[in-house]
Amino acid sequence: MAESNKMKDMPVNKLMIQMGIPMILSMALQAVYNIVDSAFVGNMRVGSESALNALTLVFPVQMLMVAIGIGTGVGTNALLARTLGQGNHKKAAKVAGNSLFLGVIIYVICLLFGIFGVKAYISSQTVDAEVLAMGISYLRICCVISFGIIFFSLFEKLLQATGRSLYSTIGQVVGAVVNIVLDPIMIYGIGPVPEMGVKGAAYATVIGQVASAVLLFIFHIKLNKEFGHGIKNMKPELAIIKEIYAIGLPAIIAQALMSIMVYVMNLILKFNPSAQTAYGLFYKVQQFVLFLAFGLRDAITPIIAFAYGMRSKKRIQDGMKYGLLYTIVLMILGVAITEIFPNAFATLFNAGQSREYFIGAMRIISISFIFAGINVAYQGIYQALDGGMESLIISLLRQLVIILPLAGVFSMIVRNGQVGILLIWWAFPITEIIACAVGDVFLKKIRKTKVNVLN
């Protein structure tokens, strides 16, 4: 079946499974980059505790780079799917070309930050000289060679918008394998490669990202035949860029808020470096679970957007129903894994002094996964139906308006000891439950104003 016919005619439940599984695997493997780095770094012979802390501090900037790339890709994905659903292939070519032009601009910004801004950023979170040196080295490499993750994010969404999510997964698998193979070689020094420690972890990560980007570029050129390619399509058109970011900006803000949240949580936990490291380690496990929901969201958005372009009320409703159902199933699985195996994860990271804090975080924060997953699915539905503002509000509630004041207040009640830190962890489930209730109200509103009015 042709890809365009599949998006139009295949039953939505089957289509979501067929598109969703590769996307889920793709996002899970993206999360593996950070988990693998932390696992290998945590087992370094010298300075492993400082190295884990350094990776915790640089993580928000890594997330921010991914946020801008993925957010631009989300806007491209939904707009391209809708444009193809309308049969406008000329505009589709310009949408794809303009997204790549935006990728160049994003890379230049990341490069400048890598050269001039890294030291000031790391210094704001720690005074430990060893952690500072490691953090600066790792983050500078990731920023200067960030074109891999940026263009991988864009080509991934271009393939997903045409229903070719399997190929984006292949690219992600290749990058993950390259990263995993190179990590021990470059971190510990194997064969002719010298021992590079934290720098080795950074180089392994960016080389894997570049490998993924190159492979997806080839797939994009060879397979995305529904629209034209070429430099001429990269000529910036303000109207198209506005349309991309009308959909994608809320996604960028949503992802960027994660970076802000982790950065502020690092500041809140600054009084206890072991708890700070534990939170950074757990966040990577949490991202692995939530990235399953993000992967399914990336199937929900183009499916519903394509159906919206067709004005197919039934396919939109099926997209909502199966998207939420499959998300809940995935999140139940995530809760089960994190509640049953916290000690195994602590051992994987060689958490050291942070072990008890890490296990406490895992047992409490994982309660929030089901509600967080539903919120992510809601946002995918909103983005597909031009509900950018609703998506933004949910993100603000989840990652800024509720969580940070609540965690700050809890940290002031009891600042020392395991009991005080456990209280901070409870801010996460409370936040997700409140945001989920608000999201349900928004969904009912969008059903009434955007879906039920269709013939």
Side-chain angles (χ1 to χ4, degrees), residues 410-431:
F410 287 169
S411 74
M412 290 187 287
I413 294 173
V414 185
R415 289 185 65 89
N416 295 305
Q418 179 72 357
V419 174
I421 302 300
L422 289 176
L423 186 59
I424 295 174
W425 303 149
W426 276 106
F428 291 85
I430 293 170
T431 296

Side-chain angles (χ1 to χ4, degrees), residues 65 107 110-111 114-115 139-147 206:
M65 289 189 293
Y107 170 63
C110 293
L111 175 64
I115 296 171
L139 187 54
R140 183 160 285 150
I141 292 166
C142 290
C143 289
V144 170
I145 315 179
S146 60
F147 55 84
V206 297

Side-chain angles (χ1 to χ4, degrees), residues 64-181:
L64 186 59
M65 289 189 293
V66 171
I68 298 172
I70 287 182
T72 303
V74 164
T76 302
N77 182 341
L79 180 59
L80 185 58
R82 188 184 310 159
T83 304
L84 291 172
Q86 295 166 343
N88 190 342
H89 300 284
K90 183 177 180 181
K91 181 179 177 182
K94 292 182 179 180
V95 170
N98 273 246
S99 73
L100 299 179
F101 165 78
L102 293 170
V104 174
I105 301 301
I106 294 166
Y107 170 63
V108 170
I109 294 170
C110 293
L111 175 64
L112 291 174
F113 178 80
I115 296 171
F116 300 110
V118 166
K119 185 175 181 180
Y121 166 77
I122 300 293
S123 300
S124 69
Q125 299 173 87
T126 184
V127 294
D128 186 299
E130 186 177 26
V131 173
L132 183 65
M134 288 180 172
I136 291 171
S137 297
Y138 186 96
L139 187 54
R140 183 160 285 150
I141 292 166
C142 290
C143 289
V144 170
I145 315 179
S146 60
F147 55 84
I149 187 59
I150 291 166
F151 283 99
F152 166 78
S153 300
L154 294 175
F155 289 127
E156 178 185 46
K157 300 305 179 190
L158 289 172
L159 287 164
Q160 289 172 0
T162 57
R164 297 182 174 89
S165 53
L166 175 62
Y167 295 95
S168 67
T169 302
I170 292 171
Q172 187 70 266
V173 169
V174 169
V177 170
V178 170
N179 185 20
I180 292 168
V181 170

Side-chain angles (χ1 to χ4, degrees), residues 25 54 83 110 113 142 155 177 221 265 272 317 324 350 356 362 364 380 390 404 411-412 416 419 424 445:
L25 292 174
T83 304
C110 293
F113 178 80
C142 290
F155 289 127
V177 170
I221 295 297
M265 285 297 298
N272 190 322
Q317 291 173 332
L324 288 167
N350 191 23
E356 292 305 315
M362 182 164 286
I364 293 172
E390 288 84 354
L404 295 179
S411 74
M412 290 187 287
N416 295 305
V419 174
I424 295 174
K445 174 189 169 187

Side-chain angles (χ1 to χ4, degrees), residues 94-297:
K94 292 182 179 180
V95 170
N98 273 246
S99 73
L100 299 179
F101 165 78
L102 293 170
V104 174
I105 301 301
I106 294 166
Y107 170 63
V108 170
I109 294 170
C110 293
L111 175 64
L112 291 174
F113 178 80
I115 296 171
F116 300 110
V118 166
K119 185 175 181 180
Y121 166 77
I122 300 293
S123 300
S124 69
Q125 299 173 87
T126 184
V127 294
D128 186 299
E130 186 177 26
V131 173
L132 183 65
M134 288 180 172
I136 291 171
S137 297
Y138 186 96
L139 187 54
R140 183 160 285 150
I141 292 166
C142 290
C143 289
V144 170
I145 315 179
S146 60
F147 55 84
I149 187 59
I150 291 166
F151 283 99
F152 166 78
S153 300
L154 294 175
F155 289 127
E156 178 185 46
K157 300 305 179 190
L158 289 172
L159 287 164
Q160 289 172 0
T162 57
R164 297 182 174 89
S165 53
L166 175 62
Y167 295 95
S168 67
T169 302
I170 292 171
Q172 187 70 266
V173 169
V174 169
V177 170
V178 170
N179 185 20
I180 292 168
V181 170
L182 291 180
D183 257 331
I185 295 173
M186 293 185 154
I187 293 172
Y188 308 138
I190 297 176
V193 179
E195 181 178 350
M196 290 186 278
V198 167
K199 285 185 178 180
Y203 281 121
T205 295
V206 297
I207 291 171
Q209 292 167 349
V210 170
S212 293
V214 170
L215 188 56
L216 290 199
F217 169 71
I218 294 171
F219 288 151
H220 167 66
I221 295 297
K222 296 287 187 182
L223 300 173
N224 277 345
K225 299 297 187 181
E226 291 84 355
F227 50 87
H229 307 291
I231 297 296
K232 64 180 182 180
N233 292 316
M234 290 182 64
K235 182 180 178 181
E237 292 193 18
L238 187 58
I240 288 177
I241 292 172
K242 283 182 177 179
E243 285 189 86
I244 289 173
Y245 283 121
I247 304 166
L249 186 59
I252 291 175
I253 295 173
Q255 296 272 351
L257 286 172
M258 293 183 189
S259 300
I260 295 169
M261 183 183 74
V262 174
Y263 177 71
V264 175
M265 285 297 298
N266 284 339
L267 297 181
I268 290 172
L269 294 167
K270 193 174 180 179
F271 69 91
N272 190 322
S274 294
Q276 190 182 56
T277 300
Y279 173 66
L281 293 176
F282 173 75
Y283 196 83
K284 294 175 183 182
V285 177
Q286 177 184 352
Q287 286 300 92
F288 181 79
V289 176
L290 291 185
F291 271 25
L292 304 180
F294 291 149
L296 189 56
R297 177 204 64 190

